[in-house]
Amino acid sequence: MTGTLILAEASASLPVLTVLVVLPAAGAALLAVMPRTRPDLFKPAAVAVSAANGAVAVWMMADFATGADAARFQYVERYDWLASLGASWHLGVDGISLFLVVLTALMFPLTIAGIDAEHSPKPYYAWLLVLEAGCLGVFCALDLFAFFVFFEIVLVPMYFLISRWGHGRRNYAATKFFLFTMFGSALMLVAVIALALLHARASGSAVTFDLVEIATAQAVAPTTARWIFLAFALAFAVKVPLFPVHTWLPDAHTNAPTAGSVILAGVMLKLGAYGLVRFGLYLFPEASVHFAPLLLTLGAVGIVYGAVVAAMQRDLKRLVAYSSVAHLGFIVLGTFAINTEGISGGLLQMVNHGVSTGALFLLVGMIYERRHTYVIADLGGLQKSAPRLAAVFTVVMLSSVGLPGLNGFVGEFLVLLGAFVAHRWWAVVAAVGVVLAAVYLLWAYQRVFHGPASGANAEMADLGWREMLLMAPFLAAIVFMGVYPKPVIDRMEPAVDALIAHIDASVDRFDEPVAGDRP
Amino acid sequence: MMAQIGPVAAPAVDWAGLGPVLALALGAVVAIMVRTLARRLPDWVDWAWTALVAAAAAGAAVSLWGRVGAEGPFNAVGDQFGVDRFSLLVTAVIAVSVMLVAPVLHGFCQREGWSGPEIYVLMLLSAAGGVVMAGANDLVVLFLGLEILSIPAYVLAARNLARIQSLEAGLKYFVLGAFSSAFLLYGIALVYGSTGTTNLVGIRDYLSRWVVLSDAMLLAGLALLLVGLGFKVAAVPFHAWVPDVYQGAPTPVVAFMASAVKTAGFAAVIRVFVVAFDLRSGDWQPAVYALAVVTLLTGAVLAVVQRDVKRMLAYSSIAHAGFVLVGVQAASGRGTAAAVFYLAAYSVLVIGSFSVLAAVSGPGDSRTGLDDLRGLNSRRPALALGFTVLLLAQAGVPLTSGFVAKFEIIAAAVDARSFWLAVVAMVSAVVAAFLYLRIMVAVYSSPDGGDGAGDAEESAEPLAVPVLTGLVVAATVAVTVGVGVLPSVLHDLARDAIPALVAAG
C-alpha cells in the first residue's frame, strides 16, 4: 500500500459531516411539526436550513487540507451503529467526494429558494430536505451499511416529489423510477452482505462493513469479487443511468416538477457515478480493471445513443433528459479509463453536469411556467420577447456543449484525453458524441429562441430579478470553473492519484495508461 | 384391559416457568366469569383487562428471560414444555401483539356495536395456545398448542355475523385448518413410528444415536409435518385460505392473525425443524428452500394484481412468510435469530397497517377496496403519513424495522451460502414494493377519483378514527422507525433468543 489512504486521526472535534447529514433531516422534522396555520413560514424555514447547510459545506471546502493531505479522508467520524453486525456510522470526505458534497449542499438551497411549491408546501419542502440529507449521506458514507441506507432512502423523497408534485403521468413515472432503482439496489444489498461476510471469512477478522478496511485488505478471492462487483455495478448503472437501463430517466424527468428535475440531474445522477468510483474502482480494483471494457462500451454507447435520441425529441425537457444520458456516458468513460486524466475528468464532469444540466432544467422550467408547454414546436422566437432568458440559456447550453472557456470543456477534454490514452477507439466514438451534442443543443436553441415569434411566444415575460438572482450562481460557477479550474483540480487530483496507486498496488500487471507512454 | 395401571407419576411443574401461559389463560377465564356476573361494567374494561393480562404475560416473559440467562434453559412441565430465550421472545411478541390489537378491537367493536368480552377472551386463549407452541418440547404438546391457538381463531374470523364474507372466512379457515391438523397428526404418527417417541428431545437424541437406514417413514413424517405447519404459516402452496380469510375476517382480528398466529406457527417450525431435526437438515432444507422460493414469488406477484387492500396485504403477508422461511432454511443460529427479528418487526408493522385499515373500513368493515383509500391524505394527513411509513417499512426501505429485518434475513441466507435464495428474496421484495406503491398512490390521490393534486383543502367527508386506534398506529410507527434507526436492541435480543431442548431431569 502506498499509505496515502490511511484514515486521518480523529481530525476535527466538530462533527462537520454529521451536521451536514443530520441538519436537513432535522429541518424536515421541524417542518413536519410546524403549525399548518402558517404556510408562509414553511419556505423560509427550509431555505434557512439548507442555506445553513450550504454555508457549512463551503466552510469545509475552504478548510479542506490541500496538497498531499487531499488524498486522505478528512473530517472522519466513526461511531458504532449496529455494533453486533459490524456496521458503523463512518463518515469522511476526500478530494473525490468533496466537490460533490459542496455541489449538493449548494444546489438544494438554490432550488428550494428559487422554485415555489405548486401546492402542499409543507410536505414538499420537508421531502426536499430529506432528499438533501440522503444525498449528502451517500457522498460522505465510508461504511457499506450506512452507504446502502442512504443510497436507498433517497428513493422515497424523490418518489413523492414526482408523484405528488409532478405533471402528466407522474404516478407512472414515479413508480417506474422507484422500482428500477430499487431493483438495482436489491441485488446490491445481497452483494454488500456477501462482501462483508466473505471479507470476514477470508481475513479472519470480525464482520465489518467498513469501506476503508475492506478496500485496503482486498481479501476476497478475485473471481468472487467479480460477481459482487457486477451486482454493485448494476445498481450504479441503473442510478447513473447507463444504457440500457436508462429508460426510467426520461419519464422521471419529464413528469417531475422542476425542482425534482434539477435535483435529479444535478445531484442524484451523481450518486451512481460516484458509486462507480468509490464502490467500484476503490473497492474492487481488480474487477473494475477486468470489466472496464464492458463499462467503457456501455458508456460510449450511452454517449452516442443519448445524443441521437436527444436530437430527435420534440419535448424540450425530454431532450435535456437524454442529453444527461450522453453526459453520464462521458463520466463513465472517463472513470473506466482508469488513469488520472480520465478519472479527474469524470469527477469534474460530475460537478459540471450538475451545474449546467441543473441550470438547463431550471431554465426549461421557467419557460414552462410561462408557456405551459415543453413542446419545441409550440415555442419559437423567444429571443425577442425574452432576451435575458435567451442569453442565460446560451451560456448554459454552451457550457453543456463543452465550449472552451466554460466549465464543460475542461472535464470533457480530460475525459477524452484519458480515454484516448487508454482505449483509443472508444475515445473516437465519444468525440463523435461531442459533435452530436453541439448539434442537438444548438438545433434546439435555434428552434426555441430564433425564428418568428407568434402568439403567446411574442408576449412571453423575460426573466425577473429573482430569477436572474437564482441563475447568477450557476453562471458564475460555469465561467469560474471554465477559466480557472485549478482550485478544484488541486483538491481532486491527489485523491485520484492515491486511487490509481491503490489500484496499481492491488492488481497484478496493471500499469496506469499514461499520456506519452505510447509511440 | 389386563395391564396393571399404576399411579401416574405427576411431572415436576415449575409454575413460574408457566407464568405467561397461566396469565393469558387465567386472564381469559377471569374475564368471562366476571363479565357474566357483572354485566353492567363499561365496555372499556374488556380491552383494558386484555391489555393488562397481555402485559402481565409479557412481564412474566421478561422476568423469565433474566432467569434463563442466569440458570440456563429449563423445563417447566416434565420434559414437555421448555423455557428458553427463544420461546420467551416469541411469547413477548405474541403478548405485545395482543396488547396492540386489544385497543384497536375496542374502537372497532364500538363502531360495529358489538359488546361482550367474548372476542377478547378468544384472543387471549388463542395467544395462550401460541405461547404453548413456542415452548412445546413434545409434538403432542405442540399439537395441543396449535389447536388452542387455532380454534378460537376460527371463531374470531367468523365473528362479523352481519357480513357473509366473515362467515365464509370462518368456515374456510376451519375446514382448511382441520385439514392441516390432520396432516400434522399424521406426520407426528409417522415420526413416532420411526423414532419411537414424540418428544423433541427424544427425537433429537434418537437421531444423534442411531442412523435410520430405511428412513422413508421418517421422511414422510417430516414432509407431513412441514405441510401441516406450512398451512399455519401460510407458505405456498398451502396458502389458499389466506386471502379469503384475511379479506373476510374482522380487520383487527386479521391484525392478530398476521402477527401472533403467524409468529406462533413459525416458532413451531423452528422448534421442530431447526432444533429437533437439526441432524436431518440435509433432508428438509431443500424442501424449505423450494417452499421459500415459491412463497416469495407467488405472494409478491399475486399481491400486485389485487384490488382489495386487505387481500393485497394478505398476499404480501405470504411474501413476508417467504422471507422468514429463508431464515429458517439457513438452519443456523443466525437464521433463527433473523427469523425471530423478522417476526417481531413484522408483527408490529402488520398490526399498524391493519389498524389503519380497521379505521378506514367504515361501518360494516367492508370498505377496504383500493378506491376506498383514495384521498386518505386529504381526510386524515397524519394517519396517511403513518400508513405510508408502515407501507414503506413493509417494502424494506432503510431506517425502518422492515429494512433491518430483511437485512438480517439476507445476511443469514448469504452466511449459509444460499446466494440465489437471497437474490430471489430481494427480487420478490422489489415486486412487492410495487404493491405498496400502488396503495400509496391511492392514499395520496384526490378522493374524487381523479388524479388531482391531493390538496388538504378539498377534504371529503371526515373520517372518524378512534383515539385508541390512532395511538396504536402512532406506537407502531414509532417502534418501526425506532428499530430502523437503532436496531441494536432488538438485534441483540434476537441473537440471544436461542432455542434449546433440555432433557428431563
Side-chain angles (χ1 to χ4, degrees):
Chain A
M1 279 313 303
T2 52
T4 42
L5 287 164
I6 42 167
L7 284 174
E9 297 76 38
S11 50
S13 55
L14 190 70
V16 187
L17 296 178
T18 299
V19 169
L20 274 177
V21 175
V22 173
L23 186 63
L30 175 77
L31 275 177
V33 296
M34 271 168 75
R36 255 164 187 285
T37 45
R38 297 296 305 275
D40 52 317
L41 287 182
F42 297 146
K43 182 168 174 173
V47 171
V49 169
S50 57
N53 226 28
V56 173
V58 169
W59 173 82
M60 189 183 77
M61 177 170 68
D63 186 59
F64 191 81
T66 51
D69 280 349
R72 62 184 173 83
F73 290 111
Q74 303 186 22
Y75 308 103
V76 175
E77 294 168 39
R78 190 168 181 180
Y79 312 102
D80 279 347
W81 189 359
L82 186 47
S84 37
L85 258 182
S88 59
W89 177 264
H90 186 187
L91 305 179
V93 289
D94 63 355
I96 291 174
S97 50
L98 173 69
F99 290 97
L100 293 168
V101 170
V102 175
L103 174 77
T104 309
L106 293 181
M107 208 76 164
F108 272 92
L110 287 174
T111 314
I112 293 174
I115 306 163
D116 288 332
E118 281 179 36
H119 60 87
S120 328
K122 185 165 147 172
Y124 175 83
Y125 294 115
W127 282 128
L128 273 170
L129 288 176
V130 172
L131 186 59
E132 176 170 11
C135 291
L136 287 169
V138 170
F139 293 133
C140 296
L142 293 182
D143 181 276
L144 286 165
F145 182 84
F147 168 76
F148 186 86
V149 165
F150 290 124
F151 191 77
E152 184 97 340
I153 200 79
V154 294
L155 293 184
V156 178
M158 195 37 121
Y159 168 83
F160 278 107
L161 283 174
I162 298 176
S163 82
R164 289 194 64 191
W165 289 272
H167 312 278
R169 304 171 68 196
R170 55 205 169 85
N171 283 328
Y172 166 79
T175 305
K176 188 170 176 181
F177 159 76
F178 195 101
L179 292 182
F180 258 72
T181 24
M182 191 177 173
F183 177 74
S185 40
L187 298 186
M188 187 166 80
L189 178 63
V190 180
V192 163
I193 294 170
L195 178 65
L197 294 181
L198 293 174
H199 164 81
R201 213 170 275 177
S203 65
S205 58
V207 175
T208 177
F209 287 87
D210 194 287
L211 169 71
V212 181
E213 208 175 315
I214 296 176
T216 312
Q218 292 295 324
V220 179
T223 41
T224 320
R226 284 179 192 171
W227 281 102
I228 300 176
F229 169 81
L230 278 182
F232 274 83
L234 176 67
F236 297 139
V238 173
K239 202 91 161 185
V240 165
L242 265 180
F243 179 86
V245 280
H246 64 281
T247 57
W248 61 268
L249 178 80
D251 286 319
H253 266 314
T254 315
N255 301 307
T258 301
S261 294
V262 172
I263 296 300
L264 197 57
V267 178
M268 283 188 70
L269 300 189
K270 313 303 168 311
L271 301 182
Y274 167 77
L276 282 174
V277 178
R278 178 76 83 215
F279 298 88
L281 292 181
Y282 178 50
L283 194 52
F284 302 102
E286 198 276 340
S288 298
V289 173
H290 182 78
F291 287 112
L294 172 70
L295 284 144
L296 285 167
T297 310
L298 290 180
V301 171
I303 293 172
V304 176
Y305 173 86
V308 170
V309 178
M312 296 187 301
Q313 293 306 313
R314 293 184 192 140
D315 180 311
L316 193 56
K317 208 174 179 187
R318 249 185 133 76
L319 184 146
V320 180
Y322 273 106
S323 84
S324 285
V325 176
H327 277 115
L328 270 297
F330 258 106
I331 293 171
V332 172
L333 190 75
T335 303
F336 281 89
I338 317 190
N339 51 26
T340 312
E341 292 81 12
I343 297 175
S344 312
L347 289 171
L348 209 52
Q349 238 357 41
M350 286 186 211
V351 181
N352 291 336
H353 175 261
V355 174
S356 46
T357 309
L360 268 183
F361 273 117
L362 276 176
L363 291 166
V364 171
M366 289 170 189
I367 295 177
Y368 182 82
E369 249 172 52
R370 292 165 165 76
R371 294 283 294 104
H372 298 287
T373 181
Y374 293 124
V375 180
I376 297 174
D378 294 347
L379 303 166
L382 297 186
Q383 199 172 27
K384 295 178 189 70
S385 52
R388 285 196 294 271
L389 176 65
V392 175
F393 199 98
T394 311
V395 176
V396 174
M397 175 198 67
L398 290 176
S399 130
S400 188
V401 169
L403 187 81
L406 299 179
N407 62 345
F409 174 71
V410 188
E412 236 166 47
F413 180 76
L414 281 173
V415 166
L416 284 176
L417 185 64
F420 188 81
V421 170
H423 305 275
R424 190 159 302 185
W425 288 106
W426 277 291
V428 172
V429 173
V432 174
V434 179
V435 179
L436 283 174
V439 171
Y440 64 77
L441 276 171
L442 289 171
W443 190 34
Y445 180 83
Q446 188 190 4
R447 284 180 292 168
V448 171
F449 286 94
H450 290 178
S454 60
N457 289 335
E459 288 143 29
M460 201 181 85
D462 203 353
L463 295 187
W465 66 268
R466 210 183 119 188
E467 286 163 320
M468 290 299 284
L469 210 60
L470 171 63
M471 297 312 295
F474 287 95
L475 295 182
I478 285 173
V479 174
F480 179 80
M481 282 179 59
V483 177
Y484 190 60
K486 188 169 175 297
V488 179
I489 294 182
D490 277 352
R491 286 169 170 76
M492 219 174 245
E493 200 123 36
V496 174
D497 285 335
L499 177 62
I500 295 284
H502 169 71
I503 297 172
D504 214 355
S506 317
V507 185
D508 286 344
R509 278 170 309 183
F510 173 79
D511 290 309
E512 177 195 3
V514 180
D517 250 13
R518 304 199 179 193
Chain B
M1 288 293 137
M2 299 303 288
Q4 196 73 33
I5 297 175
V8 177
V13 177
D14 186 328
W15 294 101
L18 286 175
V21 189
L22 291 177
L24 291 168
L26 289 179
V29 173
V30 168
I32 197 113
M33 280 173 57
V34 169
R35 288 288 266 146
T36 322
L37 297 173
R39 288 166 192 272
R40 294 271 181 86
L41 284 176
D43 275 343
W44 60 263
V45 169
D46 290 322
W47 85 260
W49 174 253
T50 307
L52 191 70
V53 166
V62 170
S63 74
L64 285 171
W65 180 276
R67 183 174 156 198
V68 171
E71 303 170 12
F74 60 93
N75 284 329
V77 185
D79 57 356
Q80 303 290 300
F81 185 80
V83 177
D84 52 46
R85 285 191 159 179
F86 170 76
S87 70
L88 289 174
L89 189 55
V90 170
T91 302
V93 171
I94 293 174
V96 170
S97 302
V98 172
M99 280 166 69
L100 288 172
V101 172
V104 180
L105 205 47
H106 177 65
F108 187 84
C109 289
Q110 285 206 315
R111 190 184 70 200
E112 301 296 319
W114 303 348
S115 59
E118 296 82 8
I119 197 163
Y120 300 96
V121 169
L122 289 168
M123 189 164 76
L124 283 174
L125 284 176
S126 180
V131 174
V132 170
M133 282 171 82
N137 263 2
D138 191 293
L139 288 172
V140 175
V141 175
L142 184 91
F143 180 75
L144 286 177
L146 184 80
E147 292 300 298
I148 302 173
L149 171 89
S150 303
I151 293 171
Y154 305 146
V155 183
L156 284 172
R159 174 63 182 83
N160 195 346
L161 301 174
R163 211 172 153 232
I164 188 80
Q165 288 94 331
S166 179
L167 301 176
E168 181 196 333
L171 188 65
K172 209 166 227 169
Y173 197 17
F174 173 67
V175 172
L176 282 172
F179 205 54
S180 73
S181 296
F183 274 105
L184 191 70
L185 272 181
Y186 209 152
I188 293 174
L190 291 180
V191 168
Y192 177 75
S194 55
T195 62
T197 175
T198 57
N199 192 289
L200 294 179
V201 188
I203 290 170
R204 199 175 57 174
D205 280 354
Y206 183 88
L207 291 176
S208 65
R209 247 175 244 159
W210 307 98
V211 177
V212 186
L213 283 179
S214 56
D215 56 357
M217 184 149 69
L218 182 65
L219 290 181
L222 266 179
L224 289 175
L225 284 179
L226 191 57
V227 172
L229 292 173
F231 267 106
K232 278 294 153 217
V233 302
V236 177
F238 318 116
H239 68 289
W241 57 275
V242 176
D244 292 335
V245 171
Y246 277 30
Q247 190 183 10
T251 310
V253 170
V254 180
F256 176 74
M257 293 198 297
S259 54
V261 174
K262 189 163 274 206
T263 304
F266 270 112
V269 169
I270 289 170
R271 242 188 146 65
V272 172
F273 288 95
V274 180
V275 184
F277 285 100
D278 184 28
L279 291 167
R280 300 306 294 245
S281 60
D283 292 323
W284 58 261
Q285 258 179 322
V288 176
Y289 191 110
L291 276 188
V293 170
V294 189
T295 306
L296 283 164
L297 294 179
T298 313
V301 171
L302 289 184
V304 167
V305 298
Q306 304 301 319
R307 291 287 313 166
D308 183 280
V309 179
K310 270 167 92 179
R311 259 186 120 75
M312 284 178 161
L313 291 184
Y315 277 108
S316 99
S317 87
I318 295 174
H320 286 292
F323 260 95
V324 183
L325 282 175
V326 173
V328 173
Q329 187 272 341
S332 61
R334 184 169 214 148
T336 305
V340 175
F341 188 105
Y342 202 101
L343 288 167
Y346 177 68
S347 293
V348 173
L349 277 181
V350 82
I351 290 174
S353 308
F354 278 110
S355 300
V356 174
L357 283 184
V360 176
S361 64
D365 195 27
S366 55
R367 297 186 54 192
T368 54
L370 203 49
D371 291 334
D372 295 319
L373 277 178
R374 279 189 169 278
L376 182 63
N377 181 47
S378 44
R379 294 162 78 192
R380 280 288 182 157
L383 192 69
L385 183 64
F387 197 33
T388 305
V389 173
L390 294 168
L391 290 174
L392 288 173
Q394 292 208 43
V397 167
L399 301 183
T400 65
S401 59
F403 169 72
V404 187
K406 287 201 164 68
F407 187 90
E408 304 258 2
I409 292 282
I410 298 297
V414 168
D415 200 37
R417 301 204 152 258
S418 309
F419 295 108
W420 289 111
L421 188 58
V423 170
V424 169
M426 288 315 292
V427 169
S428 139
V430 177
V431 176
F434 180 51
L435 146 89
Y436 305 118
L437 292 183
R438 270 188 77 193
I439 302 179
M440 270 154 49
V441 166
V443 167
Y444 283 97
S445 59
S446 63
D448 52 32
D451 208 24
D455 275 320
E457 284 77 34
E458 47 173 296
S459 61
E461 80 266 43
L463 177 69
V465 178
V467 178
L468 287 172
T469 308
L471 286 177
V472 168
V473 173
T476 54
V477 169
V479 170
T480 300
V481 175
V483 172
V485 175
L486 296 170
S488 290
V489 178
L490 186 55
H491 173 87
D492 292 348
L493 285 179
R495 186 195 57 198
D496 295 340
I498 305 160
L501 291 179
V502 183

